[in-house]
Amino acid sequence: MKKMRYLVFLLSFMCLNSLDNGLGITPQMGWNTWNKFYCNINETLIHDSIDALVNSGLVDAGYNYINLDDCWQKYRDADGYILPDNDTFPHGIEPLVEYTHSKGLLFGLYSSAGNYTCQGRPGSLDYEDKDAEVYAKWNVDYLKYDNCYNRGISSHIRYPAMRDSLNKTNHPIFYSLCQWGQEQVATWAKNVGNSWRTTGDIEDSWSSMIGIIDQNDQWYEYAGPGGWNDPDMLEVGNGHMTLTEYKTHFGLWAISKAPLIIGCDITKMTDEIKDILTNPEVIAINQDKLGEQGHKIKKTEIKYPPGVEPKLANAQLLVDDCNGHITQKWVMGINNTIRNNDENFCIDIPNCAEEDTIITTFGCHFIPNDFKCQENANQQWVYTEDKKIQSLMHFADNITRCLRIRNKPIPYVETHFCNESHSWEYNEAEKTFKAEGKCLSSMVDSIETWAGNLSDNTYAVLLLNRASVSSKIDFSLKDLRLNTSSKFQLRDLWLKKDIGIYDNTYSVYLDSHDSQLFKVILDFNEEEKEDDIFVQIIIMISLAVVIVISIGISVYMYIDNRKKNQGNNEEKDKLIDNDNN
């Protein structure tokens, strides 16, 4: 009996301390105001964007959330309830919610788990119950919950508090944690929210986009139906990347099962941008019911000819065979920075993450007040007597961190407890750090393979050329750890067509920053394929014969009619001659 009581108590506790809305079975799709409009929003813009989502075909493609980001709210009433900005939303929020619902769409709002939002509007910290009550009263369907002005209170306290308040309303609201990837949020957020940001804010640039998807990738094991890793909203269509880069951006978000939240002005989309955002076969990869996040399974540095060096940029830190490239040259710089080839890219802890995380190179910000992140400590390091590369940042558990190699499945570099981290041999003449026979490398120019399982027993695979030059990429079943003797069929998802059956290896040349996204099919009947081709040939020949016969009959009838008409005319001429005589 005591065991039964304990079990009932445990189940009750688990129910009370978990998200209970039944949402997020697949990654959310929709549109958000922030990336394009920032604080410059009003009810006319929202009304027009609702219409554009419907009329452009985006709704038919699966986008169904209309989300207002920061700046819709202005103050609280005397009882502490949140009110909209009556200058920009003079009719309030409820009419917009009703209009959204009348179009078959869902409506979302934004707040922050702090005293204020990031733009200084009223936040929800200590007002969780009142705000959740208002959202439910207005029939809001989605909440993006930011992390500004949080008074230093742990995310483990602030984000579950809003979850519990939302649960109490008995009104299902998709709960999107915008927590910036702090406190290893992916490892615990599935009981709290439907999605969780794993990174800082994205910008409309190749380096920002590719760096953010790298950060997101390390948490791939924690995503699945009901809860998704969120590398931030889409920048597709905002104008600062090429169409090729936007296609790669969208493909990476799709295979990574990231939320597909459009961030451009959808009232002014070009056809090329719309084609990217509405490709049904690419979206189907993102929305696949298995919900397995695709991830990076292979990464190879571009081998440049002698005398040609890659261009340095923001990049993930890995280890690779030592090759003497500038990507592997490091200089102890000013202010305890470690700079890539003494240029303006420093070893960096992204977003001042106060726990173990991947390491990148990022633009050095050691100028005072240039970037406040523990006074720039996220780019400050010391090379210790026992040859550790130790961070000078303060970490949440008060334990110092050093750099270590992690194989998962790409050998990348992360922060970890110093007593469990690697020792690095620094060669001052070669400017290299070496551990386990490999050199510390900022993998700027590389080719990659990303892959994930799908519910129909096929595989989604994305081949990516991160290099600044055209590059050849090979793919084989060995990359998926499958029987390499099997044949496989490929379907190009951007072209929406099958591209062939391959015995061993598929190779393709991709331009700089281009990618190819395809489905790998193993369970196919080659004989049926050959039969289908044979049948198609027979049909084509039959049609050709029918066409030739039809043309022949038409020509015969034409000639016959000409002869008959000629005979009739001769008969008429004879009759006329007889009458004249």
Side-chain angles (χ1 to χ4, degrees):
M1 190 66 181
K2 287 184 178 179
K3 289 183 179 180
M4 182 61 69
R5 287 176 182 172
Y6 174 76
L7 180 60
V8 170
F9 170 78
L10 181 61
L11 291 172
S12 300
F13 179 82
M14 291 173 64
C15 290
L16 288 171
N17 288 272
S18 63
L19 190 65
D20 184 26
N21 61 17
L23 303 175
I25 303 304
T26 59
Q28 66 270 36
M29 297 176 63
W31 173 80
N32 179 283
T33 58
W34 184 256
N35 282 2
K36 179 64 179 180
F37 299 103
Y38 303 102
C39 237
N40 303 313
I41 59 174
N42 56 61
E43 63 183 33
T44 300
L45 170 68
I46 305 307
H47 198 283
D48 291 346
S49 297
I50 293 168
D51 291 341
L53 200 73
V54 174
N55 298 332
S56 65
L58 289 170
V59 170
D60 295 334
Y63 299 92
N64 60 350
Y65 282 104
I66 288 282
N67 293 342
L68 276 63
D69 211 281
D70 206 348
C71 303
W72 66 267
Q73 66 279 73
K74 192 171 185 178
Y75 46 83
R76 295 185 179 278
D77 66 15
D79 295 320
Y81 288 100
I82 194 70
L83 295 173
D85 187 329
N86 53 15
D87 292 327
T88 51
F89 295 92
H91 298 97
I93 297 300
E94 285 182 277
L96 283 176
V97 177
E98 291 172 4
Y99 186 68
T100 302
H101 290 167
S102 74
K103 298 293 184 178
L105 304 176
L106 301 169
F107 189 90
L109 288 177
Y110 162 100
S111 188
S112 181
N115 290 344
Y116 305 99
T117 70
C118 297
Q119 296 301 307
R121 307 298 175 101
S124 293
L125 188 60
D126 298 330
Y127 290 90
E128 291 88 356
D129 282 350
K130 288 182 181 293
D131 287 355
E133 182 184 341
V134 169
Y135 303 151
K137 177 185 175 184
W138 291 347
N139 286 317
V140 169
D141 306 293
Y142 188 111
L143 175 64
K144 175 183 172 182
Y145 205 42
D146 217 331
N147 196 28
C148 288
Y149 298 100
N150 57 44
R151 303 203 311 247
I153 300 172
S154 170
S155 298
H156 290 278
I157 297 172
R158 291 177 293 113
Y159 285 89
M162 178 56 84
R163 172 205 62 193
D164 296 342
S165 295
L166 294 173
N167 278 345
K168 281 189 279 187
T169 68
N170 292 317
H171 176 76
I173 294 178
F174 191 105
Y175 188 26
S176 172
L177 280 58
C178 183
Q179 188 259 10
W180 314 336
Q182 295 180 353
E183 298 181 71
Q184 295 185 318
V185 62
T187 63
W188 52 266
K190 198 156 190 177
N191 286 328
V192 179
N194 299 112
S195 67
W196 44 87
R197 277 276 292 280
T198 55
T199 71
D201 288 354
I202 192 172
E203 296 177 1
D204 187 17
S205 70
W206 171 262
S207 60
S208 171
M209 181 275 292
I210 206 71
I212 271 179
I213 201 65
D214 281 339
Q215 293 174 44
N216 183 76
D217 186 51
Q218 65 182 311
W219 308 111
Y220 71 89
E221 294 172 308
Y222 296 96
W228 308 99
N229 291 318
D230 178 6
D232 206 2
M233 299 170 289
L234 295 165
E235 289 283 6
V236 177
N238 280 327
H240 295 287
M241 285 190 267
T242 66
L243 283 174
T244 295
E245 290 170 340
Y246 281 142
K247 186 189 80 169
T248 295
H249 174 14
F250 193 77
L252 284 167
W253 261 238
I255 199 170
S256 299
K257 300 298 186 291
L260 299 181
I261 303 296
I262 298 170
C264 69
D265 185 350
I266 57 176
T267 68
K268 299 177 181 178
M269 276 191 307
T270 64
D271 289 340
E272 292 86 355
I273 293 301
K274 186 169 73 170
D275 288 344
I276 291 173
L277 293 172
T278 60
N279 183 296
E281 297 196 24
V282 177
I283 291 173
I285 296 299
N286 179 264
Q287 297 290 299
D288 182 73
K289 63 183 181 182
L290 181 63
E292 179 178 303
Q293 179 175 324
H295 61 282
K296 197 182 306 181
I297 62 170
K298 183 179 178 182
K299 182 163 185 157
T300 307
E301 185 178 10
I302 296 294
K303 305 301 181 185
Y304 287 90
V308 177
E309 294 284 10
K311 182 180 178 181
L312 294 178
N314 300 336
Q316 186 177 354
L317 217 58
L318 304 171
V319 290
D320 196 27
D321 294 335
C322 300
N323 53 34
H325 282 167
I326 59 173
T327 56
Q328 297 183 350
K329 295 184 183 297
W330 304 96
V331 175
M332 308 288 191
I334 63 172
N335 289 52
N336 295 305
T337 58
I338 301 178
R339 305 173 72 184
N340 201 176
N341 199 44
D342 205 20
E343 295 190 24
N344 196 37
F345 294 96
C346 289
I347 296 181
D348 179 280
I349 298 177
N351 308 311
C352 270
E354 296 183 1
E355 61 281 317
D356 294 350
T357 187
I358 66 166
I359 302 300
T360 64
T361 56
F362 197 78
C364 300
H365 46 246
F366 50 81
I367 300 171
N369 300 318
D370 182 46
F371 184 79
K372 291 285 186 182
C373 188
Q374 290 195 17
E375 300 299 327
N376 307 319
N378 68 318
Q379 290 192 350
Q380 295 177 350
W381 307 84
V382 292
Y383 186 52
T384 65
E385 290 184 1
D386 56 351
K387 300 181 180 180
K388 301 292 178 74
I389 303 176
Q390 179 181 319
S391 172
L392 294 183
M393 254 188 62
H394 170 78
F395 291 87
D397 55 11
N398 295 315
I399 301 175
T400 57
R401 296 296 200 277
C402 294
L403 297 188
R404 76 162 181 177
I405 301 170
R406 184 88 182 273
N407 295 288
K408 187 189 170 184
I410 310 296
Y412 65 89
V413 176
E414 68 173 4
T415 49
H416 193 63
F417 304 136
C418 288
N419 62 349
E420 298 176 2
S421 294
H422 289 84
S423 296
W424 299 83
E425 289 285 348
Y426 183 65
N427 186 315
E428 191 168 356
E430 297 177 357
K431 302 179 183 177
T432 58
F433 283 104
K434 185 183 291 187
E436 295 191 343
K438 302 282 187 178
C439 279
L440 186 65
S441 177
S442 61
M443 294 290 276
V444 178
D445 282 2
S446 58
I447 52 178
E448 298 178 351
T449 302
W450 297 59
N453 296 325
L454 299 173
S455 60
D456 60 358
N457 296 317
T458 63
Y459 301 85
V461 173
L462 184 142
L463 304 181
L464 170 63
N465 179 16
R466 295 172 70 137
S468 53
V469 295
S470 177
S471 305
K472 179 187 176 185
I473 305 183
D474 297 325
F475 167 77
S476 74
L477 295 184
K478 183 179 179 181
D479 297 334
L480 299 175
R481 298 182 180 179
L482 297 174
N483 182 359
T484 55
S485 64
S486 301
K487 292 184 177 182
F488 57 93
Q489 181 182 359
L490 297 183
R491 180 171 180 81
D492 190 306
L493 302 182
W494 285 111
L495 298 179
K496 292 176 276 192
K497 69 176 185 180
D498 297 337
I499 58 175
I501 296 171
Y502 300 87
D503 288 322
N504 187 13
T505 300
Y506 169 75
S507 300
V508 63
Y509 279 90
L510 293 176
D511 290 336
S512 173
H513 297 176
D514 200 0
S515 60
Q516 185 177 29
L517 179 59
F518 52 78
K519 182 182 274 193
V520 180
I521 304 166
L522 300 179
D523 186 17
F524 65 92
N525 190 320
E526 192 171 0
E527 291 181 1
E528 287 184 5
K529 293 286 181 183
E530 293 173 354
D531 289 345
D532 289 344
I533 294 172
F534 178 74
V535 169
Q536 290 174 14
I537 292 172
I538 294 298
I539 292 172
M540 291 175 67
I541 292 173
S542 300
L543 286 173
V545 170
V546 169
I547 291 170
V548 169
I549 292 173
S550 299
I551 292 172
I553 292 172
S554 298
V555 170
Y556 172 79
M557 293 179 66
Y558 174 76
I559 295 172
D560 187 56
N561 287 334
R562 284 287 301 271
K563 288 180 178 180
K564 287 180 180 179
N565 291 335
Q566 187 175 357
N568 290 336
N569 290 335
E570 289 175 355
E571 296 258 345
K572 289 179 181 179
D573 291 341
K574 288 179 181 180
L575 290 172
I576 291 170
D577 289 342
N578 290 336
D579 289 343
N580 290 335
N581 292 331

